[in-house]
Structures are given as structure tokens and as C-alpha cells.
Amino acid sequence: MATIDDVARVAGVSVSTVSYTFSGKRPISAETRARVERAVRELDYRPHAGARALASQRTQVLALMAPLRVDVNVGVIMQFVTGVVTRAQSFKHDVLLLTQDDHDGIERVAAGSMVDAVIMMDVEAEDPRLPILRKQRQPAVLIGLPRDATGFSCVDLDFEAAGRSAVAHLAGLGHRQIALIGSPRAVLSRRTTYAARLVRGFTQESARLGLDAVFETCESSHSGAIEAVDQVLAALPGVTAVIVHNEVALPAVLETLRSRGKDVPRDISVVAVCPEDVALGQTQALTAVDLPAHTIGAVAVDMAIGRLTGDQPAETRLLAPVLTTRSSTAPPPR
């Protein structure tokens, strides 16, 4: 395997001249640069990644913290990951994926200068990882919205607006008794902000419109879906519409409604808050507020690169919800 010394020998220049040709730290004449580039091609030389990083003070690597907790939908998480990785490729960056639910990983990759920037998912209102990120030199982008976002760039779906949009759609059809079947208790207990913001939007819009509304948490399992549906029917026997914000439990929620004699949409309308492919992949295509995971991941990378180049200050960007109407919603039964 060719070395930088071999390139220097073939090009007839010093090793330092080859290094400066790569790094651009000193002006190199066109003739000398051409000789070095010709030697590189002839020897099929590949500069060591560590040397490139040292020369540019960049690693060309982004860290993505996506903890795979027991109460998350791995399929949806991977849509965010795909959005990040695809967009990072366009900037010639690799992505280091951290899936452990701990704090050591942040300090290890940031303090060790392994990455240029950090993108973090599953953000809590008082997230214990944020003080650690604030101490690091690398910029950080949050997919989520903490209580105090000072110093961070943040991007997410506007979940409050998503909750309001779903309620407004159902109220516009004439529904007066609606329910929200939401995230697992653990997600809300640790104050993961996307779940709490959707509940807030649902509650506020229902109150504003004078609707009868109930909210039930739902474990991400078949039994959890059954329990949540039965609790809704017991708390609000006249319910005619349900909003579901739980991708894992969604199929079982639909199945349980049918088993309880609730035809969709003749007896009960259903709106999902989920990625479009999840809404279309059910036994019946669902009216849904799209969770644009790929887009959010791509925007997070744009923000990280913008912070690195100095072109973009820290900012918060919440994407407006888009509700697509399908056959799962209709006016309430008379």
C-alpha cells in the first residue's frame, strides 16, 4: 500500500509539500500540485482518514443519538436515521449511530473529538443529557424540543398543532365526543416532549371547541391497545371519533374497535398521527397527520452543517402538520 513518502518520492517533492497539497494550508504552485496529483493517481494513494481529519480539523462524521428504549417504535426511529444518513451523505459525512440509553456515549464521542457535531433524538423536557452537550465544543442539534433550548438548534413536527389539527378535522365533520389514545405511560412520565405536546394540543383544542374529550395512555402492545380502547368506551360511551398516537398499538386499536362492534368509519372515525406509510399500511387506509421522519432527519443534518460552517445560528424549527383525509373518517352516526 502506497504511503505519503512514496507520493513525495514519485512527485519529486518533500513530504511536507504533499501534506500541504492535501490540506491547502499553504499555497502550492499549479505545476507542483499537478505532479503530486499525478503521483497520487499513479500509486492509487488514499490519504489516511485520521490524517485528513487532523489537516482539516474535521472528522467528516456526525453522531446520531437514537436510544432504542423499550417503549419506542424501532421502525419509526429508523426512518429518522435514514433521513439523517441520506442527507449526511450529500455533505460527504458519515454517521456514527449511538443507540445506548446512557450519558457516557456523549462524552466519549465529543470529548474524544470523534465527531464534528451531535444530533440527539427522544428529547425530554428536562433532559439530563443537555448539560453534558453544553460542555462540548461540537454543536448539537436536537430532534425534539426541551424546556430550555438555549444554545441548541432544534427541529421537530409541531405536535401541538398536530393535535389541534386532528381535533379540528373531526369537529368539522360534526363529532362532539372524541378520544385520544396516546403514548405509553413511561414516555409521558419521563416528559418526552413530543408526546406531551400532542396531548396539550388535543386538550386545548377540544376545550376551545366545547367537545367532550378523554385521553388514555396506551402501552405499545396488543394487550395495551385492548385496555386503552375499553377504557375509552367506558369513560365516554358515546364516543364517535378516536385519535391514535401510538404506531405500535395502532393495528390492535383498529382490531379492538371492530371486535367491540365499532365499524370504521360508520360507527367511529379514526385519525392517526404517524408516518404516511404506517397510515397506508393498515387494513384500512387511515386519515392521518403525517410524521415526516425523513424530512426532520434531513433538516437536522442541514442545521448541523450550518452550525459547523458558521452560516446558521442556533434556532428552533417546528414543521407544520399536514393532515391527509382518507376513508377512516366520516360524519358521526345519527
Side-chain angles (χ1 to χ4, degrees):
M1 181 180 294
T3 66
I4 192 171
D5 297 279
D6 296 327
V7 173
R9 176 178 51 80
V10 171
V13 298
S14 67
V15 171
S16 61
T17 298
V18 176
S19 178
Y20 291 139
T21 301
F22 291 151
S23 68
K25 288 189 173 181
R26 289 189 182 179
I28 302 295
S29 70
E31 179 185 352
T32 300
R33 179 176 296 277
R35 293 212 312 269
V36 171
E37 291 175 348
R38 189 161 53 246
V40 167
R41 290 193 298 271
E42 179 182 330
L43 296 170
D44 193 27
Y45 173 67
R46 295 289 184 271
H48 187 272
R52 291 198 304 268
L54 184 61
S56 65
Q57 298 299 308
R58 294 278 180 85
T59 65
Q60 300 300 112
V61 178
L62 304 177
L64 173 59
M65 302 190 64
L68 298 183
R69 294 163 170 158
V70 295
D71 46 36
V72 303
N73 186 327
V74 176
V76 174
I77 290 293
M78 291 311 297
Q79 291 193 26
F80 284 99
V81 172
T82 301
V84 169
V85 171
T86 303
R87 188 61 173 165
Q89 286 179 335
S90 69
F91 290 105
K92 301 187 184 305
H93 274 65
D94 291 316
V95 176
L96 175 62
L97 181 60
L98 305 175
T99 60
Q100 295 299 317
D101 187 12
D102 60 37
H103 304 158
D104 295 338
I106 305 174
E107 295 179 322
R108 185 171 63 253
V109 301
S113 299
M114 296 171 61
V115 301
D116 294 333
V118 177
I119 299 173
M120 190 176 79
M121 296 182 57
D122 206 23
V123 177
E124 301 168 17
E126 305 290 345
D127 202 300
R129 297 169 294 180
L130 299 189
I132 301 173
L133 283 176
R134 284 193 171 99
K135 295 177 183 178
Q136 310 306 325
R137 65 175 181 81
Q138 293 92 338
V141 177
L142 310 181
I143 296 179
L145 187 62
R147 183 187 61 80
D148 180 10
T150 304
F152 299 113
S153 294
C154 303
V155 58
D156 206 356
L157 174 67
D158 189 338
F159 278 95
E160 281 195 39
R164 293 194 299 269
S165 176
V167 171
H169 169 70
L170 293 168
L173 291 172
H175 294 275
R176 305 300 299 172
Q177 294 186 308
I178 65 173
L180 169 62
I181 294 178
S183 300
R185 292 184 186 89
V187 173
L188 289 159
S189 295
R190 68 171 182 264
R191 299 180 68 193
T192 306
T193 62
Y194 70 85
R197 284 184 281 134
L198 189 123
V199 174
R200 187 159 54 245
F202 167 83
T203 303
Q204 291 175 349
E205 187 68 3
S206 297
R208 188 183 74 82
L209 296 174
L211 308 181
D212 292 331
V214 298
F215 162 62
E216 292 291 343
T217 60
C218 181
E219 301 309 304
S220 298
S221 64
H222 192 275
S223 60
I226 294 173
E227 180 181 1
V229 169
D230 285 344
Q231 287 177 339
V232 164
L233 295 178
L236 197 62
V239 64
T240 60
V242 175
I243 301 166
V244 184
H245 182 212
N246 189 318
E247 296 92 350
V248 175
L250 181 57
V253 168
L254 297 173
E255 178 184 333
T256 304
L257 287 172
R258 286 191 294 270
S259 71
R260 300 299 186 262
K262 299 291 186 180
D263 178 78
V264 178
R266 185 188 63 206
D267 303 309
I268 194 164
S269 290
V270 176
V271 175
V273 180
C274 63
E276 184 177 12
D277 66 305
V278 175
L280 293 174
Q282 305 305 311
T283 53
Q284 178 179 2
L286 301 179
T287 293
V289 179
D290 182 32
L291 174 56
H294 288 89
T295 300
I296 292 172
V299 171
V301 173
D302 290 343
M303 286 179 156
I305 299 299
R307 295 287 300 278
L308 284 171
T309 59
D311 296 334
Q312 183 174 309
E315 64 170 323
T316 294
R317 195 180 309 175
L318 297 179
L319 306 188
V322 175
L323 184 146
T324 302
T325 304
R326 301 188 178 97
S327 63
S328 67
T329 52
R334 293 182 178 178

